[in-house]
Amino acid sequence: MSAPTVGVLALQGGVREHQFLLEGLGARVVPLRTPPDLLGPDGLRVDALVLPGGESSTIDRLLRLFGTDEPLRDAIRGGLPTLGTCAGLVLLARTVLDPAPGQGSLGVMDVAVRRNAFGPQLDSAEMDLTTALGPARVAFIRAPRVETAGPGVEVLARRGDAIVGVRQATATGIAFHPELTGETLFHRRLLADATGASQAA
Ligand code: GLN
């Protein structure tokens, strides 16, 4: 397969760092804002999806404003390989704990996620994590944590007792930012999922 095309949701938040990392891994990156960015006459325009960090309540509001929420939900439920980082994890969650007023989510992963879960002292930190994909150097910035996960959800990473990485079917949600430290592990896995490869290149 030729280079996969990855749609990075570009309504708000840290888009460029994902783009830089993905292009470095050989992917083509397109910004996603409106439904036609995602869906063309012949079906999905992208092979994979990234939901970046940022402010989840703002991204949620803009998703609904542009009408992009429903097609995204359908695409992810339909098996589009997806990586959500930080606010992106919040958007994937079925339940958002401590939401902003009126905040919803895409609700495609069977997890309950608490926003800003690490408190003011610990809310931003760079660290080495042991993950199911291997060791990873990542950054936490006002990060959420997963409080409950359904039976179909695989835990990929913990920070202390807190679940900070999950996978369900083709969707992966991580509470941290690998793209800010240049950690390629999760993006390589996304591209491997997109191309149907069994291992990241
Ligand atoms: N605290 C933010 C939120 O709830 C997430 C922060 C981030 O994406 N770095 O949306």
Side-chain angles (χ1 to χ4, degrees):
M1 184 172 168
S2 57
T5 300
V6 183
V8 179
L9 188 65
L11 295 170
Q12 190 266 341
V15 175
R16 261 179 311 183
E17 293 81 359
H18 284 288
Q19 177 169 2
F20 185 72
L21 204 70
L22 287 162
E23 288 177 348
L25 294 170
R28 201 171 81 87
V29 173
V30 294
L32 278 184
R33 295 186 185 87
T34 62
D37 296 336
L38 180 67
L39 275 173
D42 303 324
L44 286 177
R45 292 186 194 276
V46 299
D47 304 307
L49 178 68
V50 169
L51 307 177
E55 174 47 50
S56 56
S57 57
T58 303
I59 301 173
D60 167 62
R61 190 160 41 78
L62 293 172
L63 271 175
R64 284 183 277 147
L65 191 71
F66 284 94
T68 312
D69 55 337
E70 211 47 66
L72 265 188
R73 194 175 278 127
D74 289 347
I76 300 168
R77 285 205 176 120
L80 181 65
T82 298
L83 175 64
T85 61
C86 202
L89 164 64
V90 177
L91 287 167
L92 289 169
R94 180 173 44 77
T95 305
V96 181
L97 305 167
D98 285 348
Q103 179 172 4
S105 67
L106 294 171
V108 290
M109 286 187 94
D110 188 13
V111 294
V113 168
R114 184 170 301 284
R115 296 169 68 227
N116 306 329
F118 290 97
Q121 297 300 317
L122 298 172
D123 69 355
S124 296
E126 191 174 317
M127 65 183 67
D128 293 306
L129 278 188
T130 304
T131 81
L133 305 188
R137 177 134 195 108
V138 301
F140 285 81
I141 302 172
R142 294 179 57 73
R145 64 184 276 175
V146 175
E147 301 251 320
T148 59
V153 176
E154 180 193 355
V155 173
L156 295 182
R158 291 178 195 270
R159 173 179 171 183
D161 290 340
I163 298 173
V164 291
V166 283
R167 179 172 172 109
Q168 184 172 14
T170 54
T172 296
I174 51 182
F176 45 83
H177 296 269
E179 78 285 4
L180 294 182
T181 52
E183 172 61 68
T184 59
L185 198 58
F186 294 89
H187 294 74
R188 279 187 285 136
R189 173 53 67 94
L190 181 73
L191 297 180
D193 286 348
T195 55
S198 58
Q199 279 225 316

